[in-house]
C-alpha cells in the first residue's frame, strides 16, 4: 500500500458535517464573513448525506408567527413539557424565534410546501408541523451551502479535532481521511462548527441481519456529533436522554401525519384503548407530569411498552377508517415515499393495505441525538440577549472549548429542532463563529506537525493491523489479533442492549448493570486498538465504530449518574423507579479527561421561562 | 509504400501460407462461439433472460402487433445499439462508439483481406487496408481513452489507474490486438529483413488475439451479444406497458433544468 | 433491504457510487458494474435508485422481515420536477403516486450570499440572521425576552 499523502487546508470556518445543520452553517457563514474562507467537510456526498437523504414529508418545527399561529415561548413550553421539564430554554427560544425565516427561505428556494386551500397558509399537520413534498429537501439545501462555501469536501471522514498548542482549551482545526483516495487531510481552522450526525446503532436493533440497515435514524449517523467534542474534552449534557420511537413495525415509518392529519389512533390487539389503563401506575412514577397536555412522548411510549409486556400486543394503528378517504390514503402513502420508503416496501411485501388492515406498531431500540424529541449533546453557550449568566460564555452555540461550536444533533438541551431548527441552529453557530473571528479570539493558533503526524498514525492503524495480522491466518473472518468493524459494532450493541437499557430488558437498567456495562465498554475500548480494516471503506467503518464506542461510554456514565427515572418509556432505572424532582430537576453534564479517559459528572441548574403569576416554587 | 494502403496480410503471405491465416480466423471464430456457448450453458443466463421476459409479459398493458415489434427492434438496433444510447451524452459514449466501430472495421477488414486478398500478388483495393488501419487506430484511441480516463472504478471510486482487474481483460486485449496489429503493419512495411523487431509484433498480435478470443468465457466479450438483447427487451417492455415495474414518465413539462444530475459522478 | 443492480441494465456509469450516503455502492471487479457491498448498512434511502440514469437499481425488502414478490420502483425526473412511484404488493395490488420535488428551476432562486448586500455595521453584534427580521414576515422585530423571565429552582 503506498504511503498516504497528506493534504493541508487552512480556513476560517470549518463546518464538520454537511447535513441540515452543516448546510445551514455553511450557508449563513458567508453572509457574515464575506472575506473568510469557509469549508464544509462531509463524510458522504453533500447532495444526499445525513438523516434527510431520502427526503421529509413534514417540517416539524415552524412557528407561523406571521399568522399568529405560535410564538417562540409557546414552543419552549411544548419542548420543556415533552422532555419532562429538562431542556435549555434559552437555546430553545433562540432557535424558535429564528426558524420561521429559515422555512420561508426554503419556500423561496423551491421546496414544495403544501398549502391550506382555504387560508392559503402552509398546511399544518399539527401545532408545530407543516407538510411538504420534501423528496429533494436535501439537494436543495445542499445547493445553498455549495453557493456559500469556498469548497465542499466530500467523502472525507473527520476523526479528530485539533487543539491549539499555544493557548489552552482552544480549537485549531480537524483531521480526517478521504475514503476514496486514502489521502490524509489536515484542516487548520480558526473556528470549527461540529454539525455531524447523532448516534444510531449503539444499541442492538430489532433486526440483526440485513434488516439492521433499517434503523429509524440513518445508519450513517455514527455519533461523530458527540465523539469529536467528547474526545477534545468538551462538556456534554443530557447524554442519558436517549430516545425510543414508537413507529410502524419493521420499517419504522413515521406516524406523525397519521396521528395528526389522518386522525388515526392506536389500539391493543383486543381493540381497546390501552393508554387509559396505565394512567394510575404512570402517575405513581411521575406525578403530575402525566396530566400535562399533550402527554409527553416518553409517557405514551411507557403505556405502549407496559401494555405489550402485559400481553396486550400486537399494538396497531387503526387506519381502516381514515384510508377510505382517497385524499388521506394518498397522504398516508406519500408520507412514506417522501421520507421512509422502506415502510412502503414492508407493507407491499406483507400485503398490508391500511384500507383493509390496521398495521402494527413497535417501539424501536434507543438512539442518542439532539435534534428530535430528545436533546443529548454538547453543553453550549446560549445567545447573549436572553441567556442566564450560567448559560452564557461569550458566543452563541460555542462549546466549553474556545472556538468550537456545535449545531444540530451536536448541541444538547435544545430539543424539537428537527430539520428546520437544525438548519437554523447552524446559522446561529455560523454567525457566532464569524463574530469570534472578528473579535480576534482566533489569533495566534499554533499546531505543530507532531500533533497531526501522531494522529495520522492513529487514523491509519486499523489498516496496518489488518495487513500485518492477516498473515497469521489462512483466511476467513476469525483472527486472534484483530477484529473487523462489524464484529466490534455487534459487540458494542450487545453490551449497550444488555447493560444500558436496550430492548432486551425492555429499556430497564440499574446501578449494577450500568457499572458492569462500563467495565465491558472499557474492555471494548482496549480492543478497539486492534480493529482491522481491509480497505478505506472498512477504515471508515472502523472510525464510525470508535466514535460510537466513545459516545456509548458517555451515555452510560450519564445514565449511571442520573439516579431517577425521569423519562419512563425511554429508559428505566430499576433502582430508582420514580421521577425525583427534589434532587434531579436539573441537567447533567460531563467532561472526559483526554489523558486519563475518566468522566467527571456535574449537575447544572434548569431555568424555566415563567411569568411571575404562573410560577410554582420548588418544594 | 504508403502503410495505410498496403495490405499487411498479403505481405505476410510471403512467409505464411494464406490458408494458415484463414485457419487462424476460423479458430478465433470457434473460440468465440465455444466461449459464448460455454458461458450460456454454465451460467444459464439465456434461460434466465427468457424466463424473465415471459414473467414481465404478464404485466403488459397492451399487446404489441408484429409490425410494432419489428419497428421497435429495428429502432433499437439502429439507435440504442448502433449509437450506444445507454451511455447517455458525453465522453463514455463517444469513446465506446470509437472503440465499437473501430473494432467492427478492423475485424471486417481483417476477414476480407485474409479471405480475398491474402495471396502474395493480390491486388488489394486501397479501401480495405485503409479500413483496417483506421479501424485499428479508432480502437486504440477509443479503448485507451476509456482505459486511462473513463473507467468508473478509477474515475468515481478513485482506484489507482494502474490497477488491473478481471473486468479489464476484454478491453485491454482489444487494445492490444489493434495496437500490435498497427505496429506490426508499420514495421513490416519497413522491410527490416531479420532485424530483431521484425517479427516480434506479429507474434504479439497473434498472442493478443488468442487472449482476446480465447478469453471469452472469462471476460466481458460476450456482453456484446447480451446487451443488444437486453436493449430490445427493454424497449419492448416500455412499449407494452410492463416497463420492468417502473412507473411511466410523468405527464409534466420539462421546465426546471437539471439539479444534482447536472454534475459528473466524481465528488471526492 | 437492500438495493441490487440489474445486470442487463447497468453500464457502470458511477452515479450510484458517487451518491450513496452509506458508501456501499461500489464497482464489481469482474464485470465493472455496480453492486451493493454491504446490504446491512443500506437504509433503503433510494438515493442510488433515483440517481441511476438507466433505472438499473431496484430494491428488495430486507430479508429478515420482508416476504418476496414485491416491487417499489421510482422515476425521479428533475427537469419535470416530479417523482413517480409504482408500488406492487406481493398479492398484485398496485398503487401509483406522483409528487412534485421542486417549485422552481433548480438552484436559480438560491442566493449566492457573496453577491448580496453586506450586513450593516454593528449587525454582527445583534441577534438577527441573514434576511431578518424581514424574512420572518411579521413586520416586527426579532422576538426577544427579558432575562428575568428565566427562573431557576422553580417549576412551571
Amino acid at each position: 500500500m503506498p504511503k498516504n499523502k497528506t493534504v493541508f487546508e487552512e480556513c476560517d470556518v470549518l463546518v464538520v458535517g454537511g447535513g441540515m445543520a452543516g448546510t445551514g452553517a455553511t450557508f449563513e457563514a458567508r453572509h457574515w464573513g464575506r472575506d473568510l474562507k469557509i469549508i464544509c467537510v462531509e463524510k458522504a456526498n453533500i447532495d444526499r448525506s445525513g438523516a434527510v437523504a431520502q427526503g421529509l414529508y413534514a417540517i416539524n418545527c415552524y412557528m407561523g408567527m406571521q399568522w399568529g399561529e405560535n410564538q417562540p415561548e409557546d414552543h419552549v413550553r411544548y419542548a420543556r413539557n415533552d422532555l419532562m421539564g429538562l431542556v435549555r430554554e434559552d437555546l430553545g427560544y433562540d432557535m424558535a424565534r429564528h426558524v420561521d425565516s429559515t422555512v420561508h427561505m426554503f419556500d423561496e428556494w423551491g421546496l414544495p410546501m403544501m398549502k391550506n386551500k382555504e387560508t392559503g397558509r402552509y398546511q399544518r399537520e399539527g401545532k408545530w408541523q407543516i407538510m411538504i413534498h420534501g423528496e429533494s429537501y436535501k439537494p436543495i439545501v445542499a445547493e445553498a451551502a455549495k453557493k456559500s462555501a469556498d469548497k465542499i469536501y466530500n467523502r472525507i471522514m473527520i476523526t479528530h479535532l485539533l487543539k491549539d498548542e499555544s493557548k489552552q482549551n482552544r480549537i485549531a482545526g480537524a483531521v480526517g481521511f478521504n475514503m476514496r483516495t486514502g489521502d490524509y487531510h489536515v484542516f487548520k481552522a480558526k473556528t470549527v462548527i461540529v454539525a455531524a450526525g447523532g448516534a444510531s446503532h449503539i444499541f442492538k436493533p430489532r433486526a440483526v441481519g440485513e434488516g439492521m440497515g433499517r434503523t429509524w435514524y440513518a445508519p450513517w449517523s455514527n455519533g461523530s456529533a458527540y465523539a469529536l467534542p467528547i474526545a477534545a474534552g468538551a462538556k456534554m449534557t443530557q447524554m442519558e436522554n436517549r430516545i425510543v420511537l414508537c413507529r410502524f413495525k419493521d420499517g419504522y415509518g413515521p406516524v406523525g401525519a397519521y396521528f395528526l392529519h389522518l386522525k388515526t389512533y392506536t389500539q391493543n390487539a383486543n381493540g381497546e384503548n390501552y393508554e387509559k389503563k396505565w394512567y394510575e401506575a404512570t402517575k405513581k412514577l411521575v406525578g403530575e407530569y402525566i396530566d400535562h397536555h399533550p402527554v409527553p412522548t416518553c409517557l405514551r411510549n411507557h403505556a405502549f411498552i407496559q401494555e405489550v409486556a402485559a400481553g396486550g400486543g400486537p399494538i396497531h394503528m387503526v387506519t381502516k377508517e381514515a384510508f377510505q378517504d382517497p385524499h388521506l390514503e394518498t397522504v398516508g402513502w406519500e408520507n412514506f415515499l417522501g421520507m421512509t420508503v422502506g415502510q412502503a416496501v414492508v407493507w407491499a411485501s406483507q400485503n398490508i393495505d391500511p384500507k383493509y388492515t390496521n398495521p402494527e406498531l413497535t417501539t424501536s431500540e434507543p438512539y442518542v441525538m439532539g435534534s428530535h424529541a430528545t436533546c443529548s449533546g454538547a453543553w453550549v453557550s446560549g445567545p447573549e440577549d436572553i441567556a442566564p449568566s450560567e448559560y452564557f460564555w461569550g458566543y452563541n452555540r460555542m462549546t466549553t472549548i474556545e472556538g468550537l461550536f456545535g449545531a444540530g444533533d451536536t448541541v444538547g438541551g435544545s430539543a424539537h429542532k428537527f430539520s428546520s431548527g437544525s438548519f437554523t441552529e447552524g446559522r446561529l453557530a455560523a454567525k457566532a463563529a464569524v463574530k469570534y473571528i472578528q473579535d480576534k479570539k482566533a489569533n495566534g493558533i499554533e499546531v505543530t506537525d507532531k500533533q497531526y503526524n501522531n494522529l495520522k498514525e492513529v487514523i491509519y492503524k486499523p489498516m496496518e493491523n489488518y495487513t500485518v495480522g492477516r498473515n497469521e491466518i489462512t483466511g476467513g473472518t476469525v483472527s486472534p489479533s484483530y477484529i473487523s468493524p462489524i464484529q466490534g459494532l455487534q459487540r458494542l450493541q450487545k453490551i449497550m442492549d444488555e447493560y444500558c437499557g436496550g430492548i432486551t430488558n425492555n429499556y430497564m437498567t440499574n446501578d449494577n448493570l450500568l457499572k458492569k456495562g462500563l467495565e465491558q465498554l472499557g474492555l471494548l475500548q482496549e480492543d478497539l486498538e486492534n480493529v482491522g480494516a481491509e480497505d478505506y471503506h472498512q477504515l471508515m467503518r472502523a472510525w464510525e465504530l470508535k466514535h460510537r464506542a466513545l459516545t456509548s461510554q458517555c451515555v452510560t456514565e450519564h445514565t449511571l449518574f442520573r439516579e431517577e427515572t425521569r423519562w419512563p418509556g425511554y429508559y428505566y432505572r430499576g433502582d430508582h423507579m420514580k421521577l425525583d424532582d427534589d434532587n434531579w430537576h436539573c441537567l447533567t453534564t460531563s467532561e472526559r479527561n483526554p489523558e486519563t479517559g475518566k468522566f467527571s459528572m456535574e449537575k447544572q441548574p434548569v431555568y424555566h421561562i415563567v411569568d411571575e403569576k404562573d410560577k410554582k416554587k420548588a418544594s | 509504400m504508403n502503410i495505410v494502403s498496403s495490405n499487411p496480410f498479403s505481405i505476410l503471405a510471403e512467409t505464411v501460407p494464406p490458408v494458415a491465416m484463414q485457419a487462424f480466423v476460423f479458430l478465433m471464430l470457434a473460440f468465440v462461439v465455444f466461449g459464448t456457448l460455454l458461458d450460456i450453458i454454465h451460467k444459464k443466463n439465456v434461460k434466465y433472460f427468457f424466463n424473465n421476459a415471459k414473467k414481465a409479459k404478464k404485466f403488459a398493458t397492451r399487446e404489441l402487433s408484429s409490425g410494432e415489434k419489428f419497428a421497435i427492434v429495428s429502432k433499437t438496433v439502429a439507435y440504442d445499439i448502433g449509437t450506444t444510447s445507454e451511455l447517455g451524452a458525453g465522453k463514455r459514449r463517444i469513446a465506446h462508439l470509437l472503440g465499437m466501430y473501430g473494432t467492427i472495421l478492423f475485424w471486417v477488414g481483417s476477414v476480407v483481406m485474409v479471405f480475398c486478398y491474402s495471396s502474395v500478388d493480390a491486388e488489394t483495393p486501397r479501401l480495405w487496408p485503409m479500413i483496417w488501419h483506421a479501424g485499428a487506430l479508432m480502437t486504440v484511441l477509443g479503448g485507451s481513452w476509456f482505459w486511462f480516463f473513463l473507467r468508473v472504478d478509477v474515475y468515481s471510486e478513485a482506484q489507482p489507474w494502474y490497477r488491473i482487474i478481471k473486468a479489464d481483460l476484454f478491453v485491454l486485449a482489444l487494445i492490444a490486438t489493434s495496437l500490435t496489429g498497427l505496429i506490426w503493419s508499420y514495421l513490416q512495411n519497413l522491410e527490416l529483413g531479420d532485424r530483431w523487431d521484425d517479427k516480434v509484433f506479429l507474434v504479439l498480435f497473434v498472442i493478443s488475439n488468442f487472449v482476446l478470443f480465447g478469453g471469452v468465457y472469462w471476460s466481458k466479450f460476450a456482453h456484446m451479444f447480451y446487451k443488444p438483447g437486453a436493449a430490445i427487451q427493454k424497449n419492448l417492455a416500455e412499449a407494452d406497458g410492463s416497463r420492468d415495474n417502473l412507473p411511466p414518465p410523468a405527464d409534466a413539462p420539462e421546465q426546471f433544468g437539471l439539479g444534482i444530475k447536472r454534475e459528473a459522478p466524481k465528488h471526492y | 433491504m437492500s438495493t441490487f443492480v440489474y445486470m442487463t441494465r447497468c453500464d457502470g456509469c458511477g452515479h450510484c457510487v458517487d451518491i450513496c450516503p452509506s458508501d456501499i455502492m461500489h464497482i464489481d471487479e469482474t464485470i465493472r458494474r455496480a453492486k451493493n457491498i454491504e446490504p446491512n448498512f443500506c437504509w433503503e434511502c433510494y438515493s442510488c435508485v433515483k440517481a441511476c440514469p438507466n433505472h438499473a437499481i431496484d430494491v428488495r425488502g430486507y430479508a429478515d422481515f420482508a416476504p418476496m414478490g414485491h416491487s417499489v420502483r421510482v422515476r425521479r425526473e428533475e427537469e419535470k420536477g416530479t417523482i413517480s412511484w409504482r408500488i406492487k404488493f406481493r398479492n398484485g395490488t398496485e398503487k401509483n403516486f406522483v409528487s412534485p420535488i421542486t417549485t422552481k428551476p433548480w438552484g436559480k432562486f438560491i442566493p449566492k450570499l457573496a453577491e448580496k448586500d453586506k450586513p450593516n455595521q454593528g449587525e454582527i453584534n445583534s441577534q438577527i440572521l441573514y434576511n431578518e427580521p424581514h424574512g420572518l414576515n411579521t413586520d416586527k422585530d426579532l422576538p426577544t425576552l427579558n432575562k428575568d423571565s428565566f427562573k431557576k429552582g422553580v417549576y412551571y
Side-chain angles (χ1 to χ4, degrees):
Chain A
M1 194 148 294
K3 220 163 147 30
N4 303 93
K5 183 171 90 182
T6 303
V7 180
F8 292 96
E9 177 73 89
E10 261 190 70
C11 62
D12 298 299
V13 180
L14 180 71
V15 180
V16 176
M20 290 306 299
T23 48
T26 308
F27 171 74
E28 184 84 16
R30 179 59 66 202
H31 178 67
W32 302 101
R34 294 295 161 117
D35 302 318
L36 295 184
K37 189 151 183 209
I38 299 163
I39 303 278
C40 178
V41 189
E42 162 56 55
K43 184 177 77 175
N45 179 330
I46 199 175
D47 285 323
R48 286 284 187 192
S49 62
V52 185
Q54 37 190 321
L56 287 178
Y57 197 68
I59 285 179
N60 281 352
C61 183
Y62 176 69
M63 302 299 116
M65 297 192 297
Q66 62 177 319
W67 299 306
E69 289 177 342
N70 296 294
Q71 296 304 321
E73 51 265 43
D74 298 326
H75 192 261
V76 173
R77 278 188 273 270
Y78 165 67
R80 150 223 294 178
N81 170 60
D82 200 52
L83 270 301
M84 308 294 276
L86 306 186
V87 290
R88 277 280 300 271
E89 299 202 359
D90 60 322
L91 299 177
Y93 183 90
D94 189 31
M95 181 277 298
R97 64 178 166 174
H98 290 284
V99 73
D100 281 12
S101 79
T102 295
V103 174
H104 299 154
M105 282 198 304
F106 292 163
D107 190 358
E108 273 168 44
W109 295 353
L111 182 67
M113 326 273 288
M114 294 191 214
K115 301 269 167 60
N116 182 312
K117 288 193 194 68
E118 280 131 55
T119 62
R121 301 179 183 179
Y122 295 139
Q123 173 65 54
R124 281 237 167 249
E125 188 181 89
K127 188 159 162 64
W128 306 102
Q129 305 83 346
I130 55 176
M131 297 167 77
I132 59 172
H133 287 290
E135 182 279 340
S136 287
Y137 196 177
K138 187 69 217 288
I140 290 173
V141 304
E143 183 88 51
K146 288 185 208 176
K147 286 194 170 184
S148 279
D150 282 281
K151 190 160 176 187
I152 310 271
Y153 283 87
N154 288 307
R155 301 292 173 192
I156 295 181
M157 182 173 180
I158 294 295
T159 53
H160 298 84
L161 297 173
L162 290 172
K163 298 285 280 291
D164 183 11
E165 290 167 51
S166 70
K167 182 170 184 252
Q168 265 260 49
N169 199 43
R170 188 163 68 159
I171 206 70
V175 296
F177 67 97
N178 184 314
M179 66 192 73
R180 295 287 149 94
T181 62
D183 294 339
Y184 179 49
H185 284 258
V186 176
F187 295 93
K188 297 185 184 176
K190 294 194 170 159
T191 58
V192 177
I193 303 177
V194 174
S200 65
H201 274 312
I202 61 177
F203 285 86
K204 184 157 73 173
R206 287 198 186 273
V208 295
E210 218 179 64
M212 74 181 253
R214 180 99 289 278
T215 40
W216 166 77
Y217 208 44
W220 43 85
S221 298
N222 63 278
S224 294
Y226 309 123
L228 290 172
I230 292 172
K235 193 170 268 188
M236 308 297 290
T237 186
Q238 296 299 87
M239 293 298 287
E240 71 277 18
N241 187 201
R242 76 291 279 283
I243 186 170
V244 165
L245 300 111
C246 175
R247 296 287 186 269
F248 287 113
K249 186 168 183 295
D250 296 331
Y252 293 116
V255 295
Y258 280 69
F259 282 132
L260 298 168
H261 191 78
L262 274 62
K263 309 269 190 269
T264 56
Y265 54 94
T266 56
Q267 270 180 9
N268 69 10
N270 298 319
E272 302 165 330
N273 175 345
Y274 59 91
E275 287 192 41
K276 302 194 270 213
K277 285 166 38 179
W278 300 97
Y279 173 82
E280 291 300 330
T282 308
K283 189 150 189 169
K284 287 205 180 70
L285 259 184
V286 301
E288 53 153 302
Y289 287 87
I290 184 75
D291 295 318
H292 294 160
H293 280 290
V295 176
T297 308
C298 61
L299 298 184
R300 300 198 65 190
N301 278 4
H302 174 64
F304 186 110
I305 294 163
Q306 298 309 303
E307 181 66 19
V308 169
I315 311 271
H316 51 263
M317 167 101 68
V318 179
T319 53
K320 289 200 274 202
E321 298 153 14
F323 266 67
Q324 299 306 318
D325 175 343
H327 161 73
L328 294 182
E329 182 188 13
T330 300
V331 168
W333 282 99
E334 289 189 345
N335 178 46
F336 297 150
L337 298 173
M339 187 150 54
T340 307
V341 189
Q343 189 61 58
V345 177
V346 168
W347 284 358
S349 72
Q350 296 183 10
N351 294 330
I352 296 173
D353 186 337
K355 257 202 293 225
Y356 310 117
T357 314
N358 291 322
E360 268 183 71
L361 297 168
T362 191
T363 51
S364 70
E365 80 279 20
Y367 296 83
V368 178
M369 38 153 8
S371 58
H372 204 272
T374 54
C375 50
S376 306
W379 181 247
V380 299
S381 168
E384 188 163 12
D385 62 330
I386 61 174
S389 56
E390 274 167 290
Y391 289 170
F392 177 73
W393 54 90
Y395 298 91
N396 198 357
R397 274 34 185 210
M398 192 169 79
T399 65
T400 53
I401 295 178
E402 299 281 311
L404 179 64
F405 295 79
D409 277 330
T410 307
V411 170
S414 64
H416 284 266
K417 292 181 287 226
F418 303 101
S419 60
S420 50
S422 295
F423 190 96
T424 303
E425 199 163 58
R427 299 174 67 195
L428 293 167
K431 181 180 182 184
V434 173
K435 180 169 193 295
Y436 174 91
I437 293 170
Q438 287 183 1
D439 290 347
K440 304 206 191 321
K441 292 286 164 68
N443 289 3
I445 296 177
E446 258 177 56
V447 177
T448 58
D449 48 6
K450 184 161 178 287
Q451 194 184 157
Y452 54 78
N453 282 338
N454 283 348
L455 286 174
K456 182 175 182 177
E457 252 191 76
V458 169
I459 289 169
Y460 291 97
K461 186 143 184 295
M463 300 193 79
E464 178 79 4
N465 288 343
Y466 178 83
T467 306
V468 173
R470 181 65 184 75
N471 289 297
E472 188 168 16
I473 53 177
T474 52
T477 57
V478 181
S479 159
S481 58
Y482 63 78
I483 55 171
S484 67
I486 186 70
Q487 289 168 349
L489 183 65
Q490 288 176 332
R491 188 164 136 204
L492 171 68
Q493 291 181 344
K494 189 168 155 72
I495 293 169
M496 293 301 281
D497 177 55
E498 291 172 355
Y499 296 102
C500 198
I503 54 180
T504 296
N505 291 338
N506 261 337
Y507 315 101
M508 173 66 73
T509 185
N510 62 39
D511 164 271
N512 297 313
L513 285 168
L514 290 165
K515 289 192 174 128
K516 185 76 201 288
L518 284 174
E519 255 179 61
Q520 294 289 329
L521 288 173
L523 293 178
L524 177 63
Q525 275 292 353
E526 288 174 20
D527 286 353
L528 289 186
E529 290 300 307
N530 298 315
V531 173
E534 198 179 343
D535 51 33
Y536 295 122
H537 172 81
Q538 285 299 315
L539 185 63
M540 183 262 294
R541 293 285 182 239
W543 280 99
E544 289 186 335
L545 169 63
K546 288 179 187 248
H547 284 192
R548 285 188 163 114
L550 184 56
T551 301
S552 301
Q553 282 184 309
C554 191
V555 167
T556 310
E557 294 275 1
H558 274 255
T559 310
L560 179 60
F561 182 62
R562 177 179 287 280
E563 290 171 352
E564 65 157 354
T565 299
R566 170 66 50 170
W567 307 278
Y570 287 159
Y571 75 98
Y572 306 90
R573 275 291 296 263
D575 48 342
H576 295 281
M577 275 298 274
K578 219 166 144 59
L579 184 146
D580 179 5
D581 263 340
D582 291 337
N583 296 305
W584 290 98
H585 195 94
C586 62
L587 302 169
T588 61
T589 55
S590 66
E591 254 179 50
R592 177 183 174 274
N593 183 314
E595 268 105 68
T596 63
K598 288 225 142 332
F599 285 84
S600 49
M601 313 296 301
E602 269 186 321
K603 290 184 183 182
Q604 304 287 347
V606 180
Y607 283 81
H608 292 301
I609 300 172
V610 204
D611 285 334
E612 259 320 303
K613 56 178 164 48
D614 291 333
K615 79 160 189 242
K616 287 188 282 186
K617 256 246 129 39
S619 52
Chain B
M1 244 205 302
N2 187 353
I3 173 194
V4 166
S5 52
S6 72
N7 175 351
F9 298 105
S10 76
I11 300 174
L12 181 64
E14 290 167 19
T15 38
V16 174
V19 75
M21 293 185 235
Q22 289 157 8
F24 184 82
V25 171
F26 277 124
L27 182 62
M28 295 302 109
L29 183 63
F31 273 151
V32 173
V33 171
F34 184 66
T36 305
L37 276 177
L38 199 64
D39 193 44
I40 289 174
I41 293 167
H42 184 81
K43 288 210 204 112
K44 304 195 184 192
N45 46 28
V46 173
K47 181 171 184 190
Y48 154 74
F49 183 77
F50 283 110
N51 281 355
N52 193 51
K54 232 179 21 192
K55 225 175 39 172
K57 262 191 137 184
K58 286 198 240 139
F59 298 114
T61 53
R62 51 187 290 263
E63 185 81 45
L64 294 175
S65 69
S66 36
E68 282 176 301
K69 284 193 202 162
F70 180 75
I72 288 168
V73 172
S74 312
K75 174 251 174 201
T76 306
V77 170
Y79 179 68
D80 298 60
I81 298 165
T83 70
T84 316
S85 69
E86 83 169 326
L87 294 180
K91 299 181 205 163
R92 290 173 72 230
R93 188 169 177 185
I94 300 171
H96 188 264
L97 289 172
L98 259 180
M100 178 170 87
Y101 284 107
T103 301
I104 290 173
L105 292 176
F106 186 57
W107 287 350
V108 167
S110 299
V111 168
V112 167
M113 291 198 291
V114 163
F115 281 89
C116 306
Y117 303 105
S118 55
S119 56
V120 177
D121 48 1
E123 289 247 347
T124 320
R126 287 167 56 112
L127 175 70
W128 291 109
M130 279 172 67
I131 285 178
W132 191 86
H133 286 92
L137 187 63
M138 283 165 70
T139 306
V140 170
L141 285 176
S144 307
W145 185 12
F146 168 76
W147 200 80
F148 284 102
F149 300 105
L150 305 177
R151 275 177 299 161
V152 64
D153 44 319
V154 174
Y155 187 74
S156 295
E157 266 191 334
Q159 298 287 356
W161 69 268
Y162 47 79
R163 185 185 80 137
I164 295 179
I165 53 179
K166 198 164 172 204
D168 289 312
L169 177 58
F170 175 53
V171 65
L172 285 180
L174 199 60
I175 295 171
T177 55
S178 306
L179 188 61
T180 52
L182 278 173
I183 298 175
W184 161 56
S185 171
Y186 169 71
L187 289 177
Q188 186 173 249
N189 236 310
L190 297 181
E191 291 174 21
L192 300 169
D194 272 318
R195 204 175 84 174
W196 70 273
D197 53 347
D198 184 37
K199 296 279 184 287
V200 167
F201 282 91
L202 171 62
V203 170
L204 289 176
F205 179 60
V206 167
I207 292 174
S208 48
N209 274 295
F210 265 100
V211 171
L212 175 65
F213 295 105
V216 166
Y217 181 66
W218 296 276
S219 75
K220 290 183 72 172
F221 192 113
H223 288 260
M224 76 167 83
F225 309 130
Y226 306 148
K227 275 285 185 167
I232 290 169
Q233 181 268 322
K234 184 184 102 162
N235 288 342
L236 288 171
E238 191 85 19
D240 74 9
S242 60
R243 228 182 238 116
D244 298 335
N245 289 333
L246 282 166
D251 183 16
E254 291 188 353
Q255 53 178 323
F256 294 117
L258 285 177
I260 56 183
K261 291 194 173 182
R262 72 172 88 96
E263 291 175 9
K266 186 179 196 251
H267 292 95
Y268 58 83
Chain C
M1 145 173 284
S2 308
T3 56
F4 62 92
V5 183
Y6 288 115
M7 175 69 98
T8 49
R9 298 277 180 266
C10 175
D11 66 57
C13 71
H15 277 280
C16 60
V17 175
D18 189 58
I19 199 71
C20 177
S22 201
D23 192 40
I24 61 176
M25 295 307 284
H26 283 272
I27 301 296
D28 181 278
E29 296 188 0
T30 307
I31 54 172
R32 192 172 270 118
R33 291 184 190 152
K35 65 179 178 184
N36 179 335
I37 61 165
E38 221 172 15
N40 59 345
F41 277 91
C42 180
W43 204 35
E44 290 190 352
C45 74
Y46 272 76
S47 297
C48 59
V49 180
K50 295 168 187 172
C52 179
N54 293 328
H55 303 291
I57 309 185
D58 199 351
V59 159
R60 189 270 279 130
Y62 300 94
D64 318 35
F65 49 77
M68 302 166 77
H70 53 275
S71 163
V72 178
R73 300 211 73 184
V74 64
R75 194 184 288 262
R76 180 173 180 269
E77 298 177 88
E78 280 191 337
E79 283 156 312
K80 297 177 188 171
T82 58
I83 189 151
S84 310
W85 294 91
R86 167 164 286 172
I87 299 171
K88 285 194 177 169
F89 283 37
R90 177 181 165 109
N91 64 16
T93 304
E94 188 179 314
K95 297 190 189 284
N96 288 284
F97 301 98
V98 184
S99 300
I101 56 178
T102 183
T103 56
K104 307 247 170 83
W106 299 98
K108 184 143 181 258
F109 292 87
I110 299 177
K112 220 168 147 33
L113 291 182
E115 291 162 9
K116 291 276 170 178
D117 288 340
K118 289 196 185 172
N120 295 328
Q121 183 80 283
E123 261 176 12
I124 187 75
N125 296 315
S126 73
Q127 289 299 319
I128 56 163
L129 295 173
Y130 165 70
N131 204 31
E132 284 182 351
H134 174 76
L136 295 166
N137 293 354
T138 54
D139 292 327
K140 289 196 218 142
D141 287 332
L142 181 73
T144 187
L145 276 182
N146 197 319
K147 280 199 209 196
D148 295 336
S149 333
F150 285 85
K151 307 281 193 281
K152 180 158 64 160
V154 296
Y155 295 150
Y156 50 91

